[in-house]
Amino acid sequence: MHSFAFRSFVYALCLLPATLALRIPFSVRSNTHITRQSSSGGVFPVGNTQNSFYFTNITLGGRTISVMLDTGSSDLWVTGSVPNAQDTGKSLTLSYAVGNAAGDIYTAPFSMGGYSVDNQAFLLVSNTSTFSTNIHSEGYDGLIGLGPNSGSSIYKKLSGDAGNNAINRIFEQNSADDYITLELSRRGDPASNITGQFTISEIVPGYENITSMPQLPVETVYKVTDEDQHWQVLTDKDVGVIGPDGQPIKISSIVPKAPSGQLVAVLDSGFTLPQVPRSMSDAIYGRVQGAEWSASQGAWLVPCGQLINLTLAFGGVSYPVHPLDVSSSDFGVTFSNGNPACLGMFQPISSAFSLLGEYDMILGMAFLRNAYSLINFGKLVNGGSNTNQPYVQMLPLTDQAAAVNDFIQVRTNGQNLIGSSQYALLPASQGQHSPESAAEKKHDYEEKILSRWPYILVGCLALVLLILGCCIWRCCKRRRLRRKAAQQKNDELSAISTTSTRKAGPYSQLHDSQSTATLAMQPMRASTLEFKAEYGRDAFA
């Protein structure tokens, strides 16, 4: 009973960050839609709404629906009506940062390009009024989770393979190549010729080199919390994050089993703004002249003309982040004096903070636009035949020199002001630090306890065993002492009994005034002659 309650509590904690995709507390200034294209085979065009939402088309019950691509969750949900859908009689509520997706679980024929699945389970969301944004106006009417099947709430609700998520069902039927790839476009970049694409078991033409990139093992979470498994990888040791000054940003991981000098990063296409440790966000933006922390936005505001360099490294490969992705002019934010500002995209992690210490940061769209990503599911396919470990490969897409030219064209109207004094970084000693809220301090304290529960549990068990061992030792010692005391008592009683027996027996020692040493042997007769005279013969003859 206690074990079940504990697992339920842990799972509730795990589910919170797992369903916090779509974190975007800002209003995008304008909505621009990509023309929805048809797809064939395993390659699907990806639409882009102002670099904040990426979506593609699926067919459910015969209806074509645009759904957001989310590698950070594992469920399929849609709004509106779905023809030929069958009600399972189960209801479910999924919690996201922008609101709750609540409704009933149905099944219907599902297809995506050349892949088809019968009776795919999905959540039909009947009410989106709790959402902070109109998702239809943003270009999509649902969401498809591309995470491991173990994280699917529908799968757990239906208690069986009938609840397997869509991508898992596709891999069950086509297990030769259990991988997906994702390429995200960047709007507002005049030199970018990238068109967003999502593939299943295929490589986007021109990116074949991705298969030669390092295979980054997917870091697994604790077994008791494997429902919260994400696509998470390790940064390089000591040089995983290179800041604006060209020096590594040194951050200690909150993940207990993470190697020293490395951070655990989740790849999540559902997050517009990457979520990073507060000290990292401060190191990126705190030394910018004129930078201002916005408590209402929960992020840094910087001058739009400030070019900020940032590079992440995985598997010995550097992944430069385009300066247009380090700060964004798409959100219409202003400084406290009312002047236009750009939003620092690498936001201090707060609501998505991992209380169980499973990851350090979430690399969302602003990072993923800089790499073509391949995710191999391996043995994480439920019901699949693949027994290999899951891994991630990433191909860098950003050329630093070209990115600088793009930034100059977009942000400073073609004027190269990068070397001017107004855009020089402040000395490290003058860098600003954003305030940590009371809620974050509480989360940090809880994380230090919860993330180390296996070690605490082992320590408690060791203490219990030590106490138990001491008790057993004391009991054994007392038993030996009692046994020894009883033996001594028996020996004393035996000695007393023996002494009493000797006093009463025929061979008791004489207690005379004369000692045995002074006693002389007295002859029975005076002499032999007397004996002979008396008896008339020699007694010894």
Side-chain angles (χ1 to χ4, degrees):
M1 186 69 178
H2 293 290
S3 176
F4 174 78
F6 176 74
R7 284 179 63 86
S8 299
F9 171 70
V10 171
Y11 171 67
L13 291 175
C14 295
L15 187 62
L16 181 63
T19 57
L20 280 174
L22 302 173
R23 174 173 169 76
I24 175 169
F26 318 99
S27 297
V28 181
R29 191 158 58 187
S30 61
N31 296 322
T32 304
H33 303 290
I34 301 297
T35 303
R36 298 176 184 176
Q37 308 172 48
S38 61
S39 60
S40 61
V43 181
F44 313 93
V46 175
N48 177 355
T49 299
Q50 208 64 24
N51 295 331
S52 297
F53 304 99
Y54 291 90
F55 52 88
T56 194
N57 291 342
I58 64 169
T59 300
L60 194 60
R63 173 191 165 198
T64 299
I65 307 172
S66 288
V67 291
M68 182 177 176
L69 295 166
D70 183 14
T71 59
S73 65
S74 304
D75 288 299
L76 170 64
W77 60 265
V78 299
T79 60
S81 61
V82 176
N84 307 311
Q86 301 295 319
D87 193 348
T88 65
K90 303 284 187 178
S91 299
L92 183 65
T93 298
L94 301 174
S95 298
Y96 295 87
V98 296
N100 295 327
D104 298 324
I105 301 175
Y106 285 78
T107 62
F110 168 91
S111 64
M112 195 173 187
Y115 298 98
S116 298
V117 172
D118 293 330
N119 301 319
Q120 175 59 49
F122 67 96
L123 182 67
L124 184 60
V125 177
S126 55
N127 186 357
T128 60
S129 61
T130 62
F131 283 4
S132 59
T133 183
N134 185 330
I135 63 173
H136 181 75
S137 67
E138 302 293 354
Y140 62 98
D141 293 298
L143 178 146
I144 183 169
L146 303 173
N149 190 71
S150 62
S152 168
S153 296
I154 294 176
Y155 168 70
K156 288 185 279 287
K157 192 75 172 182
L158 295 185
S159 303
D161 292 346
N164 286 343
N165 66 12
I167 195 69
N168 195 99
R169 294 285 302 279
I170 290 174
F171 287 148
E172 283 182 78
Q173 299 177 8
N174 307 271
S175 59
D177 296 299
D178 299 340
Y179 68 84
I180 60 175
T181 76
L182 184 63
E183 176 191 28
L184 302 181
S185 62
R186 180 183 302 105
R187 294 188 59 77
D189 181 358
S192 176
N193 57 359
I194 293 176
T195 58
Q197 297 183 79
F198 168 71
T199 76
I200 299 176
S201 302
E202 293 188 36
I203 303 295
V204 172
Y207 293 146
E208 290 79 8
N209 285 344
I210 192 171
T211 58
S212 64
M213 290 292 104
Q215 293 184 1
L216 307 174
V218 172
E219 291 298 301
T220 55
V221 299
Y222 295 120
K223 184 63 179 176
V224 73
T225 60
D226 59 0
E227 294 90 348
D228 196 31
Q229 180 65 60
H230 291 97
W231 305 124
Q232 49 198 61
V233 295
L234 288 170
T235 62
D236 282 355
K237 181 177 176 60
D238 297 328
V239 292
V241 183
I242 306 299
D245 59 357
Q247 298 300 313
I249 299 176
K250 296 188 180 298
I251 305 291
S252 296
S253 175
I254 67 170
V255 181
K257 65 176 183 178
S260 176
Q262 294 181 272
L263 301 176
V264 178
V266 173
L267 305 179
D268 190 342
S269 63
F271 269 88
T272 302
L273 277 61
Q275 306 288 289
V276 300
R278 181 172 293 277
S279 55
M280 181 185 297
S281 182
D282 291 349
I284 296 172
Y285 304 107
R287 292 175 59 187
V288 172
Q289 295 186 58
E292 184 178 295
W293 171 255
S294 173
S296 61
Q297 307 290 5
W300 283 98
L301 305 181
V302 296
C304 289
Q306 178 73 54
L307 185 145
I308 303 174
N309 292 310
L310 181 65
T311 299
L312 283 83
F314 299 92
V317 178
S318 295
Y319 297 85
V321 179
H322 199 294
L324 294 176
D325 291 326
V326 181
S327 65
S328 174
S329 60
D330 293 331
F331 296 94
V333 293
T334 60
F335 289 115
S336 57
N337 60 9
N339 291 334
C342 277
L343 183 74
M345 296 293 282
F346 286 74
Q347 182 183 38
I349 193 167
S350 54
S351 61
F353 185 82
S354 175
L355 286 178
L356 292 176
E358 294 169 344
Y359 53 82
D360 297 294
M361 56 185 176
I362 302 174
L363 298 180
M365 305 173 194
F367 170 77
L368 293 175
R369 282 191 287 270
N370 297 275
Y372 175 52
S373 304
L374 182 152
I375 300 174
N376 190 301
F377 283 61
K379 66 178 183 180
L380 294 183
V381 176
N382 185 37
S385 59
N386 194 334
T387 59
N388 296 325
Q389 294 294 327
Y391 62 84
V392 172
Q393 291 175 293
M394 294 188 291
L395 182 69
L397 297 180
T398 298
D399 178 87
Q400 286 182 300
V404 170
N405 290 331
D406 294 343
F407 182 87
I408 292 172
Q409 294 300 318
V410 174
R411 295 286 180 84
T412 58
N413 297 319
Q415 299 183 54
N416 188 347
L417 304 176
I418 295 174
S420 63
S421 59
Q422 71 181 103
Y423 292 123
L425 293 176
L426 295 171
S429 59
Q430 298 180 24
Q432 301 183 66
H433 300 279
S434 57
E436 186 178 21
S437 67
E440 286 181 85
K441 292 179 181 178
K442 180 181 178 182
H443 285 166
D444 184 60
Y445 175 76
E446 291 171 343
E447 180 276 327
K448 289 179 180 178
I449 301 298
L450 292 174
S451 66
R452 291 159 177 80
W453 69 263
Y455 305 101
I456 296 174
L457 178 61
V458 170
C460 290
L461 289 176
L463 180 60
V464 169
L465 291 175
L466 180 62
I467 294 174
L468 183 61
C470 289
C471 292
I472 294 174
W473 177 78
R474 287 292 301 274
C475 289
C476 292
K477 183 177 180 181
R478 291 177 65 182
R479 185 176 299 174
R480 286 196 300 269
L481 290 175
R482 289 197 192 102
R483 191 178 297 143
K484 184 176 181 180
Q487 184 65 39
Q488 289 177 345
K489 187 174 182 180
N490 290 337
D491 291 344
E492 291 175 359
L493 291 175
S494 178
I496 294 173
S497 176
T498 302
T499 302
S500 300
T501 304
R502 287 178 179 175
K503 286 181 178 180
Y507 299 103
S508 298
Q509 183 177 353
L510 294 175
H511 295 281
D512 194 83
S513 57
Q514 291 181 329
S515 68
T516 56
T518 60
L519 291 177
M521 179 65 73
Q522 300 296 326
M524 296 178 65
R525 295 289 185 267
S527 65
T528 305
L529 294 175
E530 293 177 348
F531 183 88
K532 184 176 181 181
E534 183 177 354
Y535 291 96
R537 59 185 179 90
D538 190 350
F540 299 97

